[in-house]
Amino acid sequence: MGSPLNIAFVWHMHQPYYLDRQTRIAIFPWVRLHVCKDYFDMVTILEDYPHIKQTFNLVPSLVDQLNQYAKGDVRDYYLEMSAKPAHELTALDKTFLLSRFCPEGWQPRIGPYKRYKELILKKEALGSKSYPEMIQEFSEEEYRDLQVWFNLAWFDSLLLEKDNFLKECVEKGRHFTEMDKIGVIEKQRALVEEVVPAYRRFQEEGKIEITTSPFYHPIMPLLCDSGVALEALPDVNLPSFPFRYPEDARKQVEMGLECYRQNFGRSPRGMWPPEQAVSEEAVRIMMESGVEWIISDEEVLANSLGTKFVRDGQGNLQNPEDLYRAYQLQRDDRELKIIFRDHFLSDLIGFVYGSKPGRQAAEELHGRLKAIKASLGDRAERHLVTIALDGENCWEHYDRDGYEFLTTLYGLLDQAPELKMVTVSEYLDKAELKGHLDKIWSGSWINANFGTWIGSRSQARAWDYLYHTRSFLTTMERQGQVDQETAQRAWQEIYVAEGSDWFWWFSDYHHSGLDQVWDSQFRSHLRAVYRILNEQPPEHLFEAIISKDEAALVVRPTGPMHHPNQRREKL
């Protein structure tokens, strides 16, 4: 059998910063709901598999929101609409429930629940009616059932089976009471309070490694210099005003590290650059922060080496030794290790296996990993296969939230002596690093460029609005017109607006169905800077960035990211 091959799964847990920092209102409920569906069970499932170790990247903007929810310091309108007694619902409330609690299209998490589908299909059948007409067609009981099912369907199937109260609610199906509704919401609240402590406990027990990211998930290379996009895309349309603020990237890193220390009682060893985006300047900042290792994508490595990774018709690499290893970055007297994910294997989990029976998909992936081990022969123990992707979004497309896939895969790997599941740091502590990168390519996990976050007309406007607002703040500081505490509050709004997700939705290629909300909230953060400084925001921050003509060009993502118009929604 020979020496075992090291396997590292790195699950990226991220949500945008949905909180309005001034009102404490969350514009979307996805942090709360993904706790029930993904965050909690993705770590607790490991209790059943003693030889399985995993690496989780918890983005600080997510951790911060989890903590705010746990303290009860968030106003979640979706939660308020869920809890409101059905007999007190106004016409506006009912319109909100039908528009937001009845998702369009079939989704696996709704599929098993007959009553939920029944309510959604009824709403769809009334599609020709206006909302004032439509809301009259639903009874008080139906609205109450919809309130319950919107929240109940977000619970992971394992939680629904283990918790007696939730199991009884699923079996009941309809005719819910107000007490049933409140009981479901209380179960959510309890999980939110448990999730961060659960990750901390699993790390302290040595089952997992937790890494971090710059706080609000910005594209660090573009903060350092928006012109870096030209390296991979010489014809890309840049904003009118160059954005060159490496000090912002450094601050985001520092805040991310401090968030980690506060929540996990130690410093992180690894960092996931947002969108796996790297550049020479961004790498130096992370290197100088004391981070030991970072992660990026195989296409970034290929461009850094000036080569291509060639796969056969089955997806097997012809040169596996070059990808399945860690590299050393040495700049002056500092060093940083970097690993690169297998893009193909990661995309299989993210975009392909959800359409297959869970056991079949798990057995296929297990077979692929054994084939990689065989191709490396006696050298296998020197190498690391890294599979890295979002740890929440892909399960939307799996039956039972990926339960059969994960339990089958973990069961196979737990009993496979030729495959060793490790955390990234565990591998790096023993690896002999012989690969050095003299230059790192400037790119991300999508096509090894930054075209997803810069280049469209809407993105150019957004970058320019951010530039002007930031410049206004620095001018006020330079002229001594703002005290330190007030300035810090204003800077937090700037840092929030630097997050990658805003620019994602300003792309010509992505559509959430709620683009106007993203647009409005981005400008709200910029307007807040002026209001914190007791100044009137400029008129352009009250006007939509995405024009109607541009909105018509937007398409919905449909598959693996081989082109900028393909990615799952961040919901």
Side-chain angles (χ1 to χ4, degrees):
M1 185 175 298
S3 56
L5 172 65
N6 298 289
I7 312 291
F9 281 84
V10 187
W11 301 107
H12 181 56
M13 303 304 202
H14 164 60
Q15 291 293 325
Y17 199 74
Y18 298 118
L19 292 184
D20 185 308
R21 294 181 60 86
Q22 309 308 305
T23 64
R24 310 308 301 163
I25 294 174
I27 60 170
F28 291 123
W30 313 128
V31 167
R32 169 174 58 89
L33 295 176
H34 274 290
V35 168
C36 306
K37 198 179 75 68
D38 304 302
Y39 300 138
F40 189 76
D41 69 287
M42 280 292 288
V43 67
T44 56
I45 193 176
L46 299 176
E47 289 178 321
D48 297 328
Y49 305 97
H51 300 113
I52 300 294
K53 295 186 178 181
Q54 303 280 266
T55 302
F56 290 92
N57 186 67
L58 301 184
V59 175
S61 60
L62 169 62
V63 174
D64 182 71
Q65 290 176 94
L66 289 171
N67 289 336
Q68 298 298 329
Y69 267 104
K71 291 188 297 185
D73 197 23
V74 176
R75 278 201 63 194
D76 182 334
Y77 190 63
Y78 285 75
L79 181 58
E80 292 178 6
M81 284 296 97
S82 297
K84 191 170 185 178
H87 67 273
E88 295 180 7
L89 293 171
T90 67
L92 186 61
D93 296 336
K94 294 174 180 178
T95 299
F96 182 86
L97 292 178
L98 293 180
S99 63
R100 300 295 177 87
F101 284 28
C102 293
E104 296 180 3
W106 182 87
Q107 297 180 19
R109 64 179 167 82
I110 295 171
Y113 309 125
K114 180 179 178 181
R115 176 58 164 169
Y116 198 4
K117 287 193 294 184
E118 190 178 288
L119 295 170
I120 292 172
L121 290 173
K122 179 174 179 178
K123 187 240 178 173
E124 291 178 351
L126 297 169
S128 61
K129 295 180 178 291
S130 65
Y131 273 109
E133 296 173 308
M134 188 185 298
I135 63 175
Q136 304 299 323
E137 301 290 335
F138 287 79
S139 68
E140 177 183 310
E141 181 180 285
E142 287 175 316
Y143 281 113
R144 185 181 298 110
D145 285 357
L146 181 59
Q147 288 173 305
V148 172
W149 271 115
F150 174 74
N151 291 280
L152 190 58
W154 273 89
F155 279 92
D156 178 76
S157 60
L158 185 60
L159 292 172
L160 293 176
E161 293 168 6
K162 286 186 173 182
D163 187 282
N164 289 333
F165 171 75
L166 296 176
K167 186 176 182 180
E168 289 172 4
C169 286
V170 171
E171 292 172 351
K172 185 176 185 180
R174 64 182 66 226
H175 308 308
F176 291 117
T177 67
E178 291 295 325
M179 290 299 293
D180 291 332
K181 187 167 65 177
I182 297 304
V184 171
I185 291 172
E186 288 303 317
K187 291 291 182 180
Q188 286 186 345
R189 286 177 174 152
L191 283 179
V192 169
E193 293 175 1
E194 292 180 40
V195 65
V196 173
Y199 279 89
R200 182 168 57 241
R201 174 170 60 87
F202 272 74
Q203 176 162 260
E204 290 170 352
E205 293 174 354
K207 290 285 293 180
I208 68 172
E209 175 178 6
I210 303 173
T211 60
T212 192
S213 290
F215 199 99
Y216 292 108
H217 206 262
I219 302 294
M220 285 183 61
L222 296 181
L223 294 193
C224 294
D225 182 0
S226 55
V228 76
L230 295 170
E231 181 176 336
L233 298 170
D235 297 326
V236 70
N237 294 316
L238 295 177
S240 301
F241 298 88
F243 202 91
R244 297 190 183 115
Y245 300 108
E247 61 268 36
D248 288 15
R250 190 178 303 277
K251 182 65 175 179
Q252 296 261 12
V253 169
E254 291 172 355
M255 291 192 301
L257 296 175
E258 180 58 26
C259 177
Y260 188 101
R261 287 189 286 265
Q262 290 178 359
N263 284 276
F264 302 109
R266 63 175 77 172
S267 294
R269 298 184 63 181
M271 176 168 281
W272 178 303
E275 309 293 358
Q276 296 181 347
V278 292
S279 67
E280 277 292 326
E281 194 164 10
V283 161
R284 280 185 176 272
I285 289 172
M286 289 182 281
M287 187 180 292
E288 292 168 1
S289 75
V291 170
E292 295 181 29
W293 64 267
I294 62 173
I295 184 172
S296 191
D297 186 74
E298 72 170 66
E299 292 186 46
V300 171
L301 174 60
N303 281 279
S304 298
L305 296 173
T307 187
K308 289 185 178 181
F309 287 111
V310 180
R311 297 177 185 270
D312 63 22
Q314 301 302 312
N316 301 308
L317 279 172
Q318 293 183 13
N319 49 340
E321 297 89 351
D322 291 340
L323 177 60
Y324 302 138
R325 63 193 299 184
Y327 285 82
Q328 192 88 3
L329 296 171
Q330 190 162 3
R331 304 294 183 264
D332 300 327
D333 61 342
R334 297 183 181 272
E335 293 182 348
L336 181 71
K337 302 176 182 69
I338 182 168
I339 60 170
F340 298 89
R341 71 167 190 155
D342 186 309
H343 193 116
F344 178 77
L345 294 182
S346 302
D347 270 3
L348 286 179
I349 297 177
F351 301 105
V352 178
Y353 286 154
S355 62
K356 295 185 176 184
R359 176 169 292 278
Q360 176 187 336
E363 290 173 347
E364 179 185 318
L365 181 57
H366 180 238
R368 287 183 177 279
L369 293 172
K370 290 198 297 183
I372 293 172
K373 196 275 179 189
S375 72
L376 293 168
D378 293 337
R379 308 180 309 280
E381 66 177 347
R382 307 175 191 172
H383 294 278
L384 176 73
V385 176
T386 302
I387 298 174
L389 68 155
D390 282 357
E392 71 264 282
N393 289 320
C394 66
W395 311 122
E396 280 287 295
H397 308 288
Y398 285 71
D399 286 331
R400 299 186 67 202
D401 201 35
Y403 176 75
E404 184 180 36
F405 171 77
L406 283 174
T407 53
T408 302
L409 179 63
Y410 287 172
L412 291 169
L413 294 174
D414 198 50
Q415 302 299 321
E418 72 274 26
L419 302 173
K420 184 179 181 181
M421 299 296 295
V422 298
T423 66
V424 175
S425 289
E426 182 182 3
Y427 166 77
L428 293 176
D429 284 342
K430 299 178 181 179
E432 295 181 15
L433 302 184
K434 298 182 179 180
H436 290 265
L437 291 179
D438 296 327
K439 183 181 184 302
I440 193 75
W441 177 259
S442 298
S444 72
W445 72 281
I446 303 177
N447 300 325
N449 62 47
F450 304 117
T452 298
W453 301 274
I454 197 167
S456 76
R457 286 178 291 175
S458 294
Q459 287 168 332
R461 279 194 286 272
W463 280 108
D464 284 342
Y465 290 0
L466 177 60
Y467 170 89
H468 289 303
T469 305
R470 189 190 186 284
S471 297
F472 180 79
L473 174 55
T474 56
T475 298
M476 293 284 282
E477 281 189 305
R478 188 170 57 251
Q479 295 175 352
Q481 299 183 50
V482 57
D483 63 80
Q484 184 176 2
E485 182 180 349
T486 301
Q488 288 178 350
R489 289 173 52 213
W491 274 111
Q492 287 300 315
E493 300 291 345
I494 293 291
Y495 298 142
V496 172
E498 289 175 341
S500 69
D501 297 274
W502 311 108
F503 299 95
W504 178 281
W505 297 118
F506 289 134
S507 163
D508 287 340
Y509 304 104
H510 302 130
H511 175 52
S512 68
L514 296 168
D515 293 348
Q516 72 281 5
V517 180
W518 293 102
D519 188 335
S520 174
Q521 193 65 14
F522 174 77
R523 290 179 287 108
S524 176
H525 286 296
L526 298 183
R527 291 196 302 268
V529 173
Y530 291 88
R531 287 172 174 154
I532 290 170
L533 301 175
N534 291 318
E535 297 286 340
Q536 176 63 31
E539 287 299 319
H540 65 260
L541 294 182
F542 294 90
E543 300 171 359
I545 291 175
I546 302 175
S547 69
K548 292 182 179 179
D549 290 341
E550 289 167 317
L553 299 174
V554 174
V555 295
R556 188 175 296 276
T558 58
M561 295 305 299
H562 301 302
H563 188 274
N565 70 348
Q566 295 177 314
R567 188 203 192 187
R568 56 183 178 266
E569 294 181 20
K570 195 64 167 175
L571 297 180

